[in-house]
Amino acid sequence: MIAPQLLSDYCATAILAVNPQDESIVACNPACETLLGYTSAQLIGLKISEIEVGLQDVFFWEDVRNSGVQEVFQVEGEYRHRNGHFIFVSKTIRIVQQDGQTLCIISANDISANKRLEDESARTSALLSATLESTADGILVCDLNGNVINYNHRLGQIWPWHANNDPSLHRQLEEFKAQLCDRSGFEQWLALLFHDPYIEEQNTFKLYDDRVFEISSCPLQYRDAPIGRLFCVHDISSLKATEAALREARDIAMHASKAKSDFLAHMSHELRTPLNAILGFAQVIEADESASNHILGGYIHKAGQHLLGLINEVLDLASIEAGKMALQLESVDTIACINDCLQLTEVLSKDKGITLQITPPSEPCFIWADGRRLKQMLLNLISNAIKYNRPHGSVNITLEHRQNECWRINVQDTGMGISEDDQRQLFMAFNRVGNAQSSIEGTGIGLAFTKKLAQIMHGAIGMSSELNVGSCFWIELPASAAPSPANAHQTIAISQGAQTILYIEDDLLSQKLIQNILASQRPDYQVFVAKTAQEGIGLAKQLMPDLILLDQQLPDGSGQMIFEQLRKNERTRVIPCIALSGNTLPEQIDDALRLGFCAYLSKPIQISQALLTIDQVLREHSKKKT
Ligand code: ADP
């Protein structure tokens, strides 16, 4: 037979006997010492109010004083330990009679650890709910059976809930589904998601009122096992509306651009046809031996030639301004091109007794340009340097390899120079500056046209001048390697106005995939492909694309290495880059974004997501350019 005293001595619950008359402790078991830090001797005689400090405990003893003793079960209280810290307890108070005296027997268990957990979990849930409520997206959490566990208020605004207490998502969404243009598609999608608890999916749904939602769903996991599903509902109505407006604007622009092309083709034909007759017959009259006809014919021929030159220049300028000039970019031997120009302008220079000379650089000089258009630009600058020179002056052409990996071609003359005021008017069409020029033949289009050509070839134009000493006009264009015999005839045609994308990728199928997607869905984008890091970096410098899609593993270097090379170059550092990779580790993605990639697209590519990202990066890049 076990003695009852033994039970109380070894019981883990603290037991106190309190005299309700004076509220003093009259007995306690050893567990009280562990709980409260007092010895039993110290506890006995102590007022219970020294120990019980919770508000509810204070009220209890006040009630006892006012209305007499009463029993309570499993209520929470707060005790003060001898060293001052507080302990949460769950206690029961029973009333017993002993030797004619009433006693309150308090049994108390320490629940501080539970309280702390409760507090922590309340804090976590407050944080979670604040996070849920702070997002503009609707968030919904379901269990594996499709019963709603949690959702934020934003979701209630986006998805009208069914006014019943049924927790089933399918039932709750009745009202929402009724508004969907493709209700059965949505139901099938939900069925698919709940069929495979691990699947991660994104889909877009349109409502009859024209709102569009992008809904993404991912598994909710606990200790690696799926326990439900999370839905994130993003209202993309305004994005879609902007896209539609952009598409419409693009269609209008394409229409206008076609009208411009038609106009240019028409004008070119209409102006040149009668000129053909005028110039032809002028030559017939000029060939007439009789003196008067010969002279008159000569006048008509000269005026006609001038008119033809003017028409050609105006049409060229109009076509470049209409974005209609297609370029054939290639590696051009600059010295050979300059020599051709010098030959063509030799007669003009001899007439004025001007000396033409070129100081070739010590290294080979190749630039990335359209050879025919480069010649046109140089002819403009050289013929100006001759036309606006003093008699028996000189024109000196020099070349500099600049730090920004461009070649600068300087055309220096010994003419009258251009005043600072006049310099501000240069490069604007039809601006012929200075009085002396009025007697010199010209249209005022050459410099404006040359500037536009330099711009569309990713180059620049500029000048410096000193009155009565001379002027130096220069053009700067990207340097390029000498064409190897294998690709000597390889040229790259760039449609003016198109957004250019360079895709650096060694995998043939991935190349084809991106080319196909962009060709079919974004015909306005022009895509170039490089198979190696070296080729990619070279093409980036030559093409100066609007965007680079960069695979992260190439045979001759990593995406990071290529990115850093591009960032080191003054010209290519501004080109936005999107990383493309099969590696979807979050650290890998974070590293790439920290390095400076605008976005990270994981393979296999989600087409709509990839297109959205590409569109957005291009949009931001063109905003920065303007
Ligand atoms: P154009 O020579 O047909 O008038 P351009 O556009 O080539 O037209 O040049 C515009 C103007 O700039 C010229 O009319 C001239 O006043 C000035 N200009 C151009 N090049 C020179 C130069 N080398 N020296 C002095 N003035 C120049």
Side-chain angles (χ1 to χ4, degrees):
M1 178 76 176
I2 300 170
Q5 180 66 33
L6 200 68
L7 291 180
S8 111
D9 285 354
Y10 289 92
C11 177
T13 303
I15 306 171
L16 295 154
V18 175
N19 178 356
Q21 299 296 315
D22 59 2
E23 294 171 15
S24 65
I25 299 170
V26 293
C28 63
N29 73 344
C32 293
E33 298 185 358
T34 322
L35 180 73
L36 300 166
Y38 293 93
T39 62
S40 298
Q42 288 167 330
L43 279 171
I44 294 181
L46 210 64
K47 289 265 189 204
I48 190 67
S49 56
E50 292 289 320
I51 306 289
E52 292 197 337
V53 290
L55 216 57
Q56 59 277 48
D57 305 304
V58 175
F59 289 148
F60 173 80
W61 290 109
E62 205 173 288
D63 279 354
V64 171
R65 261 171 259 135
N66 298 334
S67 333
V69 290
Q70 52 184 313
E71 295 197 324
V72 290
F73 293 90
Q74 303 280 351
V75 293
E76 285 188 6
E78 210 175 336
Y79 282 14
R80 184 169 42 214
H81 190 271
R82 189 176 174 216
N83 67 15
H85 77 260
F86 297 101
I87 306 155
F88 289 99
V89 294
S90 164
K91 61 176 187 178
T92 294
I93 302 178
R94 308 287 308 272
I95 313 292
V96 292
Q97 300 292 332
Q98 170 128 29
D99 304 331
Q101 190 193 351
T102 305
L103 286 176
C104 295
I105 307 297
I106 307 172
S107 26
N109 284 307
D110 185 352
I111 56 164
S112 304
N114 289 356
K115 272 276 175 197
R116 268 196 300 278
L117 275 179
E118 251 175 50
D119 268 10
E120 247 166 60
S121 115
R123 209 168 299 144
T124 312
S125 93
L127 185 73
L128 185 69
S129 108
T131 314
L132 275 184
E133 293 307 333
S134 65
T135 159
D137 293 344
I139 309 257
L140 172 86
V141 188
C142 288
D143 66 14
L144 287 177
N145 299 320
N147 292 321
V148 177
I149 305 173
N150 199 358
Y151 63 93
N152 66 355
H153 283 96
R154 176 76 184 118
L155 185 83
Q157 292 163 354
I158 297 178
W159 285 8
W161 289 102
H162 204 251
N164 62 34
N165 291 325
D166 193 329
S168 155
L169 177 68
H170 298 264
R171 296 289 308 280
Q172 285 287 357
L173 290 179
E174 281 313 312
E175 216 172 294
F176 175 67
K177 284 193 257 179
Q179 298 183 39
L180 283 169
C181 298
D182 179 15
R183 178 185 175 129
S184 70
F186 180 72
E187 280 172 343
Q188 278 166 16
W189 189 62
L190 279 189
L192 169 80
L193 293 178
F194 283 101
H195 177 70
D196 181 351
Y198 287 98
I199 202 169
E200 208 167 303
E201 275 277 327
Q202 191 177 44
N203 216 330
T204 305
F205 296 97
K206 190 164 186 241
L207 271 66
Y208 286 120
D209 63 7
D210 274 349
R211 281 187 298 160
V212 186
F213 294 125
E214 190 175 75
I215 307 176
S216 45
S217 175
C218 61
L220 178 69
Q221 300 196 356
Y222 180 69
R223 295 188 200 277
D224 288 341
I227 54 163
R229 201 152 257 300
L230 189 132
F231 291 87
C232 178
V233 187
H234 185 53
D235 187 344
I236 53 167
S237 313
S238 59
L239 187 75
K240 286 280 161 195
T242 316
E243 260 181 29
L246 279 176
R247 248 196 317 274
E248 195 181 334
R250 187 199 61 193
D251 290 348
I252 293 172
M254 277 167 71
H255 196 257
S257 156
K258 180 161 185 323
K260 272 186 197 164
S261 300
D262 292 349
F263 174 76
L264 283 173
H266 185 70
M267 283 303 284
S268 171
H269 179 258
E270 291 299 311
L271 292 171
R272 283 198 177 103
T273 309
L275 251 186
N276 182 40
I278 295 171
L279 283 173
F281 286 118
Q283 285 167 76
V284 173
I285 298 170
E286 201 180 4
D288 190 341
E289 295 297 307
S290 77
S292 63
N293 275 358
H294 176 72
I295 293 168
L296 289 178
Y299 289 151
I300 302 173
H301 188 204
K302 194 159 178 262
Q305 282 295 353
H306 179 76
L307 199 57
L308 180 62
L310 186 63
I311 289 168
N312 286 340
E313 284 188 359
V314 169
L315 288 176
D316 265 351
L317 187 68
S319 93
I320 205 168
E321 278 186 341
K324 293 286 147 206
M325 188 154 287
L327 296 177
Q328 297 290 319
L329 293 181
E330 59 191 324
S331 191
V332 180
D333 181 345
T334 319
I335 305 296
C337 181
I338 296 173
N339 281 329
D340 282 354
C341 296
L342 292 181
Q343 238 175 31
L344 288 170
T345 48
E346 206 180 349
V347 181
L348 186 64
S349 65
K350 275 199 176 132
D351 281 353
K352 292 192 73 174
I354 308 274
T355 325
L356 296 181
Q357 59 190 35
I358 169 170
T359 315
S362 50
E363 54 182 310
C365 169
F366 286 87
I367 57 175
W368 189 250
D370 179 316
R372 191 167 74 88
R373 297 295 177 189
L374 174 65
K375 199 179 272 180
Q376 214 173 348
M377 294 158 87
L378 289 171
L379 275 176
N380 264 325
L381 299 191
I382 298 172
S383 60
N384 278 353
I386 300 170
K387 278 195 303 182
Y388 303 110
N389 216 317
R390 62 182 162 77
H392 306 292
S394 66
V395 174
N396 190 17
I397 299 169
T398 52
L399 293 105
E400 295 167 63
H401 199 166
R402 312 279 295 177
Q403 271 179 346
N404 58 358
E405 298 208 27
C406 280
W407 276 100
R408 182 180 278 197
I409 308 167
N410 301 299
V411 181
Q412 173 84 53
D413 64 46
T414 52
M416 288 299 103
I418 307 166
S419 72
E420 275 189 24
D421 272 358
D422 284 346
Q423 284 180 30
R424 281 190 273 276
Q425 316 286 319
L426 287 175
F427 305 110
M428 294 178 195
F430 307 109
N431 258 346
R432 305 203 68 219
V433 298
N435 295 332
Q437 270 72 290
S438 53
S439 57
I440 302 170
E441 229 174 60
T443 56
I445 294 176
L447 284 182
F449 182 58
T450 306
K451 181 175 179 177
K452 293 259 183 225
L453 278 178
Q455 281 169 342
I456 63 169
M457 287 194 224
H458 307 296
I461 189 168
M463 59 86 60
S464 58
S465 183
E466 205 177 325
L467 274 179
N468 302 321
V469 176
S471 309
C472 178
F473 281 80
W474 54 259
I475 44 177
E476 224 171 68
L477 288 164
S480 94
S484 63
N487 63 7
H489 299 295
Q490 186 185 317
T491 56
I492 293 180
I494 296 193
S495 320
Q496 200 198 336
Q499 303 253 57
T500 46
I501 299 175
L502 172 61
Y503 183 24
I504 308 178
E505 166 70 79
D506 59 323
D507 178 52
L508 190 68
L509 284 179
S510 300
Q511 292 171 6
K512 294 266 171 268
L513 176 71
I514 288 285
Q515 281 178 314
N516 259 308
I517 295 171
L518 290 174
S520 60
Q521 310 223 19
R522 298 289 186 273
D524 287 354
Y525 299 166
Q526 211 178 347
V527 187
F528 298 91
V529 174
K531 294 180 290 301
T532 61
Q534 210 192 351
E535 192 189 344
I537 295 169
L539 261 186
K541 288 178 188 163
Q542 294 167 352
L543 285 173
M544 284 299 292
D546 296 297
L547 169 67
I548 295 176
L549 300 177
L550 185 49
D551 180 44
Q552 296 298 286
Q553 271 160 348
L554 286 137
D556 55 341
S558 68
Q560 175 176 346
M561 181 279 282
I562 302 173
F563 185 83
E564 281 165 353
Q565 293 271 325
L566 293 170
R567 282 297 179 268
K568 274 192 206 140
N569 182 286
E570 200 181 306
R571 299 176 65 245
T572 52
R573 78 153 59 113
V574 294
I575 308 171
C577 295
I578 295 179
L580 257 113
S581 173
N583 191 339
T584 52
L585 288 176
E587 310 90 74
Q588 189 82 16
I589 299 176
D590 285 352
D591 283 352
L593 296 177
R594 215 170 303 124
L595 197 64
F597 280 94
C598 300
Y600 194 102
L601 295 176
S602 311
K603 292 180 191 168
I605 289 210
Q606 289 228 0
I607 297 177
S608 59
Q609 179 67 33
L611 286 173
L612 269 179
T613 312
I614 290 173
D615 290 345
Q616 191 182 347
V617 173
L618 280 172
R619 237 190 336 268
E620 274 162 20
H621 180 59
S622 67
K623 255 193 245 156
K624 278 189 200 150
K625 276 205 313 193
T626 48

